[in-house]
Amino acid sequence: MREYTLYLTFKCNWKCSYCITDTHNQIEPQDIIEKIKDIENDSFVSISGGEPGLASEETVRLTFELLTKKNCKIHLNTNGTFLKKFPQYLDYVHTISYHCFADEVNPFFRRFPELEYKMDYVITVTDQMMDNLETFFKINQDIKFSVFSADMIINKDGLVNNFLSKKNILLIYSKYKVYINQDSLDKLFGKCVTSITQLK
């Protein structure tokens, strides 16, 4: 099965310090339609952004109509905005990555019990977020989260973004692994295998 990523918009209503998406760029609906024409039937298509829930309803409607006609499996990446704004399209979505935690505890985080059978709760962690992580996990302790480390990026001005240090990766492993799904643990701590073995 062929896999594609389709960006509906680069606009976002969050300002994550680790984001690498250029939110100044804009996408025209006609550009999206042209990209969908190149997608093969029966493909796996990941809808992303920015936040796809900030795309126009016309863009969302056309996207789902065209992908459904091509019998594509649709995956959605969202911070929850799409889930609240466009619930009428969620029956066409096969899987969801719900980015539910940002630099501060997300006051808008809510559960969607009717969607949990196809939902992955996702957190990208930075060093600055460590103080809020324990509270967030304990409030939502029945969820197994997918946790990713924000990578270090140096921009053209030589400035380093907010990232997750190996020290805090190991802290997460030793303190919070009960809240994290196994696939995520394997990916998150792959760079620290030797150190993690010593912690066991």
Side-chain angles (χ1 to χ4, degrees):
M1 180 182 291
R2 294 290 302 272
E3 296 186 9
Y4 300 86
T5 299
L6 186 65
Y7 297 93
L8 298 193
T9 180
F10 290 127
K11 295 178 185 176
C12 190
N13 49 350
W14 284 13
K15 294 183 179 178
C16 302
S17 62
Y18 49 83
C19 184
I20 59 171
T21 301
D22 185 354
T23 56
H24 297 290
N25 288 334
Q26 298 303 319
I27 303 172
E28 297 299 326
Q30 190 56 41
D31 294 336
I32 296 170
I33 293 169
E34 290 302 316
K35 289 185 186 306
I36 293 174
K37 287 179 182 177
D38 293 333
I39 293 175
E40 294 180 9
N41 290 353
D42 305 306
S43 294
F44 179 91
V45 181
S46 183
I47 293 178
S48 195
E51 165 51 44
L54 297 181
S56 70
E57 182 159 11
E58 178 70 4
T59 297
V60 173
R61 183 184 63 77
L62 279 172
T63 298
F64 276 81
E65 279 183 4
L66 294 171
L67 291 177
T68 301
K69 284 179 182 176
K70 287 176 171 271
N71 196 37
C72 291
K73 286 193 173 180
I74 300 172
H75 175 80
L76 175 67
N77 294 297
T78 180
N79 63 21
T81 302
F82 190 101
L83 307 180
K84 292 176 265 191
K85 189 174 176 183
F86 297 117
Q88 66 271 34
Y89 296 103
L90 295 175
D91 285 344
Y92 302 100
V93 174
H94 291 79
T95 51
I96 301 167
S97 290
Y98 179 12
H99 182 190
C100 54
F101 184 81
D103 294 273
E104 298 179 2
V105 174
N106 178 11
F108 306 108
F109 173 64
R110 59 171 276 207
R111 302 283 289 271
F112 295 86
E114 70 281 10
L115 298 172
E116 289 191 345
Y117 70 98
K118 55 183 169 184
M119 185 177 290
D120 184 21
Y121 288 94
V122 177
I123 300 173
T124 300
V125 184
T126 67
D127 285 347
Q128 288 182 350
M129 293 162 62
M130 292 297 294
D131 290 343
N132 294 323
L133 202 55
E134 183 169 9
T135 300
F136 188 80
F137 279 148
K138 285 187 175 178
I139 290 172
N140 303 289
Q141 59 186 287
D142 60 314
I143 298 176
K144 286 282 190 178
F145 291 92
S146 290
V147 178
F148 298 92
S149 63
D151 293 327
M152 181 190 298
I153 298 169
I154 302 174
N155 70 15
K156 57 183 174 58
D157 299 320
L159 301 174
V160 178
N161 69 317
N162 186 17
F163 64 99
L164 185 65
S165 62
K166 286 188 178 181
K167 171 187 168 187
N168 279 328
I169 289 176
L170 295 174
L171 178 61
I172 289 171
Y173 180 85
S174 63
K175 195 171 181 181
Y176 304 124
K177 61 184 175 183
V178 66
Y179 304 111
I180 302 171
N181 66 46
Q182 187 59 51
D183 287 346
S184 179
L185 279 174
D186 294 342
K187 292 175 185 175
L188 181 60
F189 308 117
K191 297 176 183 176
C192 303
V193 172
T194 303
S195 300
I196 287 173
T197 302
Q198 293 170 356
L199 283 176
K200 290 182 178 179

